[in-house]
Amino acid sequence: MNYLSTRGDATPRQFCDILLEGLAPDGGLYLPERYPQLTSAELARLRGVWRQQGYAALAFEILSLYIDDIPAADLRAICDKTYTQQVFGTAAITPLKKLSNGFYLEALSNGPTLAFKDMAMQLLGHLFEYELKRRGQQLNILGATSGDTGSAAEYAMRGKQGIRVFMLSPHGRMSAFQQAQMFSLQDDNIHNIAIEGVFDDCQDIVKAVSGDLTFKRQHQIGTVNSINWARLLAQVVYYFAGYFQATQSDDEPVDFTVPSGNFGNVCAGHVARMMGLPIGQLVVATNENDVLDEFFRTGRYRVRSSADTFETSSPSMDISKASNFERFVADVLGRDGARVQALFADALARDGEFSLPAELQAWRDHGQAWASGKSTHADRLATIRDVYEQHGVMIDTHTADGVKVARQHQRPGAPMIVLETALPIKFAATIREALGREPERPAGLEGIEDLPRRVQVLPADAAQVKALIARHCA
């Protein structure tokens, strides 16, 4: 399987090349040259693998469709090492929680940092270590986080041979628990950098550094953000696992609602559906930063400035530039690299927006059903209270956004699965506001907010970030 850039660079690259590279040289994102197509018989076989052998075996089957430059035995061993009950707290790895008839939460937050990002990041850590050892190389990972990516990456990479992590986060914009998870790490290979700005500023710096090919190659820069195809690929697996749990046969459509800011989580659902998984609707749930909701309602993609990006109680979605959206648009435009380049490199830089209403409608007419909605702070509070009172289940703020929007789009006879994004303890202040009580705190995390912190504050300046990286790599 070869990988090509969304912006037209057709130089063939294999999986392990793009695993370490991140962005393509032309600034685009990598996509496989084709999506493997699964027949009904193949879906039935995968269901059998999941039932009889579990999540790790299912992950191997899905990943092996896209990875042919890692020996099968090695890839299977990596999956087996990643998806264990010891790491994720349950043999099912991603069990469904039934809230009502046909309405489920898929639990994705049982990993080390209590967020769905662990599902991909734990795999990425093992893949990086494997490939770097095979090549005899080192890697300096540059990432941006709005809350959960950072801690998931750092916990997955801490102590890994040949890897340093430089993680950018918006200064003061994450919850106290999220900050504590990251900044309390004292490992020598972990470097936390709080940027004076919003998440989009952090993401822009990652792209600017990655776009400096000389610096990138000199300092062996890679990325763990969802612009890295390997991370998105890992997320495809739990759509299959959720589908198999909610259905008895392989011709029943299932709808998924996904809280989304950067479009990576829901883009994985798009890939699963392109492969042939019978997903009916993919529903995008946003908070007050509703760039994606506006697009799926109108076909207009209009990014916001940092000043116009709201600080909300679901802070991991306080994003106004959805990086993975470029992959989806590339598919909508039939992999027309020149047009993708014109939209994302030119139109967004010039006008801050572009429109694709006709193309989006044509996509929908071909059976690719999309829906969307947004949720506010008041909606989050009401949804958290209702789910707790009606079902005895405590959910975090982002999952609440998903439940609120999912209820608006649930269809008779079609199961609806909402992807859980984090455990409530990560957003304790809003849980206290909604329920008047503290969320449960997993064992071993008592007093994490009081631990010593290791973090450096910098302005939103790519040059200063590059200088810091260079100093640590000297």
Side-chain angles (χ1 to χ4, degrees):
M1 175 72 78
N2 286 324
Y3 291 85
L4 313 173
S5 170
T6 52
R7 299 189 184 181
D9 184 345
T11 305
R13 291 173 175 85
Q14 291 190 291
F15 175 82
C16 288
D17 297 320
I18 68 165
L19 168 69
L20 301 179
E21 189 171 352
L23 280 178
D26 63 0
L29 279 67
Y30 283 113
L31 278 173
E33 58 188 351
R34 57 179 175 80
Y35 295 118
Q37 299 299 296
L38 299 174
T39 64
S40 296
E42 288 165 332
L43 284 172
R45 186 185 70 81
L46 290 177
R47 183 187 292 273
V49 168
W50 172 78
R51 283 178 173 167
Q52 296 164 24
Q53 301 177 52
Y55 192 95
L58 176 64
F60 167 74
E61 294 288 342
I62 300 297
L63 268 57
S64 63
L65 296 173
Y66 291 90
I67 303 173
D68 51 20
D69 53 343
I70 295 178
D74 292 351
L75 182 59
R76 187 182 294 275
I78 290 170
C79 292
D80 288 343
K81 181 166 57 173
T82 300
Y83 298 111
T84 67
Q85 184 171 352
Q86 181 180 6
V87 174
F88 289 96
T90 169
I93 309 298
T94 62
L96 290 191
K97 301 175 185 177
K98 183 177 180 180
L99 294 188
S100 59
N101 286 336
F103 197 100
Y104 305 91
L105 299 180
E106 186 169 4
L108 303 178
S109 305
N110 297 316
T113 68
L114 318 180
F116 80 96
K117 305 293 178 72
D118 290 323
M119 294 300 305
M121 212 65 75
Q122 287 292 309
L123 178 72
L124 207 56
H126 293 309
L127 285 170
F128 278 150
E129 189 172 48
Y130 171 88
E131 186 59 19
L132 290 170
K133 182 178 179 181
R134 192 163 67 160
R135 297 186 180 204
Q137 295 180 358
Q138 294 190 339
L139 186 67
N140 293 304
I141 293 170
L142 178 62
T145 184
S146 55
D148 294 323
T149 293
S151 56
E154 292 178 355
Y155 278 70
M157 306 299 165
R158 61 190 305 197
K160 289 283 191 296
Q161 292 185 357
I163 297 176
R164 294 188 190 92
V165 178
F166 298 87
M167 187 58 60
L168 312 183
S169 61
H171 184 42
R173 289 238 177 185
M174 300 186 297
S175 75
F177 190 94
Q178 288 175 312
Q179 292 179 57
Q181 275 190 310
M182 291 175 56
F183 301 162
S184 64
L185 292 181
Q186 302 297 318
D187 304 71
D188 290 340
N189 72 322
I190 303 297
H191 303 277
N192 281 301
I193 306 165
I195 296 295
E196 295 173 326
V198 299
F199 169 76
D200 295 319
D201 297 313
C202 302
Q203 186 166 252
D204 286 345
I205 291 171
V206 171
K207 289 183 176 180
V209 175
S210 297
D212 182 342
L213 297 183
T214 301
F215 184 89
K216 177 180 177 180
R217 289 164 182 161
Q218 180 183 356
H219 296 284
Q220 299 169 303
I221 302 293
T223 180
V224 292
N225 278 76
S226 50
I227 58 177
N228 189 315
W229 167 258
R231 200 183 117 187
L232 190 146
L233 177 58
Q235 295 175 283
V236 172
V237 180
Y238 52 67
Y239 282 89
F240 283 82
Y243 179 86
F244 293 148
Q245 290 177 79
T247 62
Q248 297 300 314
S249 64
D250 298 312
D251 57 0
E252 304 175 49
V254 170
D255 297 340
F256 284 86
T257 295
V258 188
S260 189
N262 214 21
F263 206 74
N265 203 4
V266 73
C267 191
H270 161 67
V271 172
R273 182 162 64 180
M274 293 294 287
M275 294 170 65
L277 190 67
I279 296 176
Q281 292 187 111
L282 280 170
V283 184
V284 178
T286 74
N287 61 16
E288 293 89 337
N289 297 295
D290 59 351
V291 171
L292 294 173
D293 176 42
E294 181 179 20
F295 175 79
F296 284 104
R297 285 186 295 102
T298 69
R300 182 188 184 198
Y301 181 65
R302 182 171 59 92
V303 302
R304 315 290 200 266
S305 68
S306 298
D308 293 325
T309 300
F310 298 108
E311 185 174 357
T312 78
S313 52
S314 50
S316 298
M317 302 197 304
D318 291 351
I319 298 170
S320 293
K321 297 176 184 176
S323 279
N324 271 281
F325 190 62
E326 183 169 332
R327 287 191 168 107
F328 170 70
V329 170
D331 282 341
V332 169
L333 298 181
R335 304 289 183 88
D336 184 339
R339 194 168 178 203
V340 173
Q341 169 80 17
L343 293 178
F344 283 90
D346 300 331
L348 285 186
R350 182 183 63 250
D351 306 320
E353 64 178 81
F354 60 76
S355 293
L356 295 173
E359 293 85 349
L360 181 61
Q361 187 56 49
W363 188 257
R364 287 171 167 156
D365 290 344
H366 281 86
Q368 303 292 332
W370 288 83
S372 66
K374 79 172 183 177
S375 173
T376 66
H377 181 68
D379 294 326
R380 285 187 278 285
L381 296 178
T383 303
I384 290 168
R385 289 191 199 105
D386 181 73
V387 171
Y388 189 70
E389 291 170 359
Q390 296 295 321
H391 309 290
V393 174
M394 191 181 294
I395 58 176
D396 85 289
T397 53
H398 307 74
T399 306
D401 290 334
V403 170
K404 186 263 184 182
V405 173
R407 286 171 167 173
Q408 298 172 329
H409 294 285
Q410 188 174 16
R411 302 181 298 157
M416 172 65 81
I417 299 175
V418 178
L419 298 190
E420 174 200 83
T421 62
L423 294 191
I425 185 59
K426 303 195 81 166
F427 308 97
T430 306
I431 301 301
R432 288 193 296 269
E433 184 180 357
L435 302 178
R437 56 161 293 179
E438 289 289 328
E440 294 181 4
R441 183 178 288 258
L445 294 173
E446 299 84 358
I448 189 174
E449 294 91 342
D450 300 322
L451 293 175
R453 297 191 174 194
R454 185 166 167 257
V455 59
Q456 182 167 345
V457 179
L458 288 181
D461 182 353
Q464 292 199 37
V465 171
K466 288 198 286 188
L468 185 148
I469 293 171
R471 286 198 301 272
H472 284 285
C473 296

